[in-house]
Amino acid sequence: MDAKEIILEHLQKMADCDQNFKERFDDKDKSIEKCMIYVSQQARNAAIGGVACISDDEVFGWAAHYYQEKDIVVSDVRMDHIKATI
């Protein structure tokens, strides 16, 4: 499984357990691709000297935050340029 599949599975489990999150997760203006861009941007922002150690929980938190907030805008970066790993 790659990072996108792992995060998507985690978010789906959250949606299965929480109706409020499910409504936000089902938002058609959001996508797992944009979520992955957002997570990658957050990781880059956390890096010092190009290096970051980020826990799974922090990554999952960023992914959930992306879906929970209406006003998050991600740049128009292509997914094949993002190498997200957990």
Side-chain angles (χ1 to χ4, degrees), residues 45-70:
N45 291 341
I48 298 172
V51 177
C53 293
I54 300 167
S55 70
D56 292 354
D57 287 341
E58 195 164 8
V59 171
F60 292 140
W62 290 333
H65 182 76
Y66 165 77
Y67 281 96
Q68 291 168 328
E69 300 297 325
K70 277 276 193 197

Side-chain angles (χ1 to χ4, degrees), residues 11-27:
L11 294 170
Q12 186 60 58
K13 286 178 184 177
M14 286 179 62
D16 291 344
C17 296
D18 182 338
Q19 184 59 37
N20 289 328
F21 183 76
K22 180 175 177 26
E23 290 173 14
R24 294 179 179 170
F25 185 61
D26 290 341
D27 184 340

Side-chain angles (χ1 to χ4, degrees), residues 23-80:
E23 290 173 14
R24 294 179 179 170
F25 185 61
D26 290 341
D27 184 340
K28 300 299 182 209
D29 291 331
K30 303 281 185 165
S31 71
I32 191 61
E33 288 77 17
K34 289 180 183 177
C35 177
M36 294 301 294
I37 293 168
Y38 176 75
V39 167
S40 179
Q41 290 171 339
Q42 296 307 302
R44 271 188 252 120
N45 291 341
I48 298 172
V51 177
C53 293
I54 300 167
S55 70
D56 292 354
D57 287 341
E58 195 164 8
V59 171
F60 292 140
W62 290 333
H65 182 76
Y66 165 77
Y67 281 96
Q68 291 168 328
E69 300 297 325
K70 277 276 193 197
D71 61 345
I72 290 179
V73 177
V74 296
S75 66
D76 203 12
V77 177
R78 290 182 31 212
M79 272 306 294
D80 58 344

